[in-house]
């Protein structure tokens, strides 16, 4: 059986190899991915790399043959269609790079112990062909605008804007 090669596009260039693989193989333990990198089973441009290696445009990642047909069994969440419709009506603005959503209070951003699904799961179900990620978070009990990226390039751009203080999160409470 032959290995599989993945080619890096502009959306993933600049990402660390370990984070890229965590995204592709969500149900594979991180320790297994680190082990495969350390043993040289995963290579970039036919060479060994470290987990901190930053991917470049047109890099080729060699995936071992036993991972080609790996079932990435992310639990198939059954999100009610009504929740997806609520999400779509809460969209304030969107373009090719982002979605701005008005988050309701008591809706978690992430799934967890007491939550089957969160806003991010609903967003991913609403845009199944895109790489949906949160740009920032707000507490479960907080309502307000939430920025969701539709691609990694915009996510990195927004995080850079936060780091360089060109964007600031503002918290304003209305007390009655």
């Amino acid at each position: 059986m032959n290995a599989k090669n993945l080619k890096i596009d502009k959306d993933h260039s600049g990402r660390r190899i370990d984070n890229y693989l965590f995204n592709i193989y969500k149900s594979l333990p991180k320790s297994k991915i680190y082990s495969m990198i350390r043993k040289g089973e995963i290579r970039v441009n036919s060479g060994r790399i470290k987990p901190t290696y930053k991917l470049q445009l047109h890099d080729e990642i060699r995936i071992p043959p036993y991972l080609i047909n790996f079932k990435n069994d992310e639990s198939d969440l059954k999100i009610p269609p009504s929740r997806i419709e609520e999400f779509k009506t809460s969209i304030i603005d969107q373009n090719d790079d982002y979605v701005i959503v008005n988050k309701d209070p008591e809706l978690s951003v992430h799934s967890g112990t007491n939550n089957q699904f969160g806003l991010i799961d609903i967003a991913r179900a609403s845009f199944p062909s895109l790489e949906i990620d949160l740009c920032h978070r707000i507490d479960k009990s907080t309502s307000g605008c939430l920025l969701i990226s539709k691609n990694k390039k915009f996510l990195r751009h927004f995080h850079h804007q936060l780091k360089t203080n060109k964007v600031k999160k503002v918290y304003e409470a209305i007390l009655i």
Side-chain angles (χ1 to χ4, degrees):
M1 188 182 282
N2 293 332
K4 176 182 175 183
N5 288 335
L6 302 174
K7 196 151 187 128
I8 298 303
D9 59 13
K10 66 179 180 173
D11 203 29
H12 295 288
S13 67
R15 288 184 77 183
R16 284 176 41 151
I17 181 88
D18 55 351
N19 292 330
Y20 176 74
L21 293 170
F22 297 155
N23 190 34
I24 292 176
Y25 297 106
K26 290 176 174 54
S27 63
L28 195 64
K30 290 181 179 183
S31 60
K32 178 64 176 166
I33 290 174
Y34 282 122
S35 172
M36 291 186 312
I37 293 171
R38 200 172 40 255
K39 291 178 182 176
E41 294 175 16
I42 293 177
R43 294 176 177 247
V44 175
N45 301 327
S46 302
R48 288 177 168 245
I49 38 85
K50 293 187 183 232
T52 57
Y53 174 79
K54 296 236 180 184
L55 296 168
Q56 304 297 312
L57 187 62
H58 305 301
D59 274 354
E60 282 196 17
I61 302 173
R62 179 197 174 275
I63 302 296
Y66 62 87
L67 277 184
I68 291 174
N69 296 320
F70 176 75
K71 282 264 193 229
N72 207 358
D73 290 330
E74 259 195 292
S75 59
D76 289 329
L77 292 173
K78 300 295 181 219
I79 299 172
S82 61
R83 278 296 208 177
I84 294 173
E85 283 307 311
E86 284 176 29
F87 171 80
K88 288 180 179 177
T89 59
S90 71
I91 294 175
I92 296 171
D93 190 25
Q94 70 174 312
N95 65 19
D96 292 340
D97 293 321
Y98 64 80
V99 177
I100 300 173
V101 178
N102 186 18
K103 186 188 95 55
D104 291 332
E106 302 312 316
L107 174 62
S108 293
V109 175
H110 291 289
S111 57
T113 307
N114 297 325
N115 310 324
Q116 266 191 323
F117 52 84
L119 183 104
I120 190 64
D121 301 310
I122 298 168
R124 287 176 177 150
S126 299
F127 299 101
S129 63
L130 300 175
E131 287 194 56
I132 299 295
D133 280 303
L134 289 168
C135 291
H136 63 98
R137 298 177 304 143
I138 55 179
D139 292 339
K140 178 181 179 178
S141 59
T142 306
S143 65
C145 294
L146 194 65
L147 185 62
I148 300 172
S149 70
K150 290 183 174 180
N151 57 59
K152 299 294 181 193
K153 183 179 177 184
F154 179 78
L155 183 65
R156 284 192 306 272
H157 169 72
F158 183 77
H159 285 165
H160 176 72
Q161 297 293 311
L162 279 175
K163 282 181 187 175
T164 57
N165 293 321
K166 293 183 179 160
V167 174
K168 292 184 184 190
K169 286 200 239 180
V170 178
Y171 301 98
E172 191 173 301
I174 300 173
L175 301 175
I176 298 175

